[in-house]
Amino acid sequence: GAVVSQHPSWVICKSGTSVKIECRSLDFQATTMFWYRQFPKQSLMLMATSNEGSKATYEQGVEKDKFLINHASLTLSTLTVTSAHPEDSSFYICSATGTSGRTYNEQFFGPGTRLTVL
Amino acid sequence: GNSVTQMEGPVTLSEEAFLTINCTYTATGYPSLFWYVQYPGEGLQLLLKATKADDKGSNKGFEATYRKETTSFHLEKGSVQVSDSAVYFCALSPQGAQKLVFGQGTRLTINP
C-alpha cells in the first residue's frame, strides 16, 4: 500500500514551452504533497509543499510563477514548468502524506520525472 | 538552518562486508532523522527512522542510532548483500514540520 505514481517518467521539450508533471497517490488520500528537484549527483531539494485545496508554499528561492503547483484533489497534484529553459532540466520527484495509519507520519515518494529542455 | 551532510560516495564493497555510511546534521531543536534508500528505477523508500535522542532505528539488517551529542545518525549493516546496492539518503525533518531536508546521497555497490 501507499503507492505514489508520476507521469510522465521522462519528457523532452523545446525551450519556451510548458510542461506538466502529474503526481498521484494510488491507494490513499494525500492531504499533503511535496515537490523536490534533484540535480545529478546532488541531494533532493524541496521546492514546495501543497495541501489539498490550498495554495502551495514555496521554498525560498523557488519561483512560484515558473513552477506552478496545483493540488486540486486528494489524489492528484501537478507541477507545471512554465516557459522551460535548459537550466530547468532536472529530475523532479513528488511525495505524499496522508491522514491515517502509516501514511500520516511518512512521506511516500514517486519514481520521479526526468525533464530535458532543449 | 537545517542541513545534512553524509559520506561521499561511491562506496564499493564485497558481499558480506561491514557497512558504515556516515551522516551528520545541523538543526535547531529536536529533529526526526531518517535513512531513505533508492533502488535503480524506483522511488525513495523509507529504510529506518528515529524520532528522539538515543533511539535506534532498524530495518532489513540496517541500523542507525540518533546521537544528539555528536549530531550524527550513521547507517550500519553487519553483512551486506548484492541486493543492497542502491543510493542511500540521510534526511531530517525539523521539529514540528513535515518537510524533509536531505543529504547528498551515497551510492553503494556490492560486488559478489
Side-chain angles (χ1 to χ4, degrees):
Chain A
V3 179
V4 176
S5 70
Q6 282 185 241
H7 179 79
S9 55
W10 58 269
V11 57
I12 301 173
C13 69
K14 292 182 179 180
S15 186
T17 61
S18 294
V19 174
K20 180 184 285 188
I21 301 170
E22 293 185 347
C23 176
R24 293 182 184 272
S25 57
L26 300 184
D27 52 3
F28 68 101
Q29 294 188 327
T31 48
T32 304
M33 287 185 165
F34 304 84
W35 285 95
Y36 296 85
R37 182 173 178 177
Q38 184 179 27
F39 294 98
K41 299 184 180 180
Q42 293 189 31
S43 177
L44 283 76
M45 301 297 294
L46 179 65
M47 299 174 66
T49 303
S50 72
N51 292 297
E52 185 266 336
S54 303
K55 287 184 178 180
T57 301
Y58 290 81
E59 295 297 301
Q60 192 172 8
V62 178
E63 299 176 60
K64 61 181 180 182
D65 294 331
K66 180 165 190 63
F67 299 100
L68 301 179
I69 292 171
N70 183 282
H71 189 171
S73 79
L74 284 172
T75 59
L76 174 64
S77 176
T78 60
L79 167 67
T80 301
V81 183
T82 62
S83 187
H85 288 95
E87 58 265 30
D88 299 323
S89 298
S90 193
F91 196 56
Y92 293 88
I93 301 173
C94 74
S95 70
T97 60
T99 57
S100 62
R102 188 182 162 206
T103 68
Y104 180 70
N105 286 322
E106 182 177 336
Q107 289 188 34
F108 292 87
F109 286 81
T113 297
R114 169 83 51 200
L115 170 63
T116 301
V117 184
L118 302 177
Chain B
N2 300 303
S3 66
V4 176
T5 302
Q6 67 180 96
M7 180 173 163
E8 285 204 29
V11 174
T12 303
L13 296 172
S14 298
E15 204 165 22
E16 299 183 1
F18 184 85
L19 168 72
T20 300
I21 301 178
N22 290 336
C23 171
T24 57
Y25 67 91
T26 301
T28 54
Y30 298 90
S32 294
L33 301 176
F34 305 83
W35 277 99
Y36 283 85
V37 58
Q38 186 176 33
Y39 298 104
E42 299 184 18
L44 273 76
Q45 303 172 25
L46 179 64
L47 180 60
L48 53 84
K49 67 179 182 182
T51 57
K52 62 182 187 295
D54 299 326
D55 267 3
K56 177 186 285 187
S58 61
N59 186 25
K60 299 181 180 180
F62 291 89
E63 293 183 340
T65 301
Y66 189 143
R67 300 285 188 201
K68 189 157 180 67
E69 63 275 14
T70 54
T71 62
S72 65
F73 193 54
H74 304 321
L75 182 68
E76 297 182 336
K77 186 173 185 181
S79 176
V80 293
Q81 306 300 314
V82 172
S83 57
D84 294 327
S85 298
V87 181
Y88 291 81
F89 291 91
C90 185
L92 69 82
S93 180
Q95 186 176 1
Q98 278 189 310
K99 71 179 193 180
L100 291 167
V101 177
F102 285 90
Q104 67 268 40
T106 301
R107 181 173 298 278
L108 173 67
T109 301
I110 307 299
N111 294 320

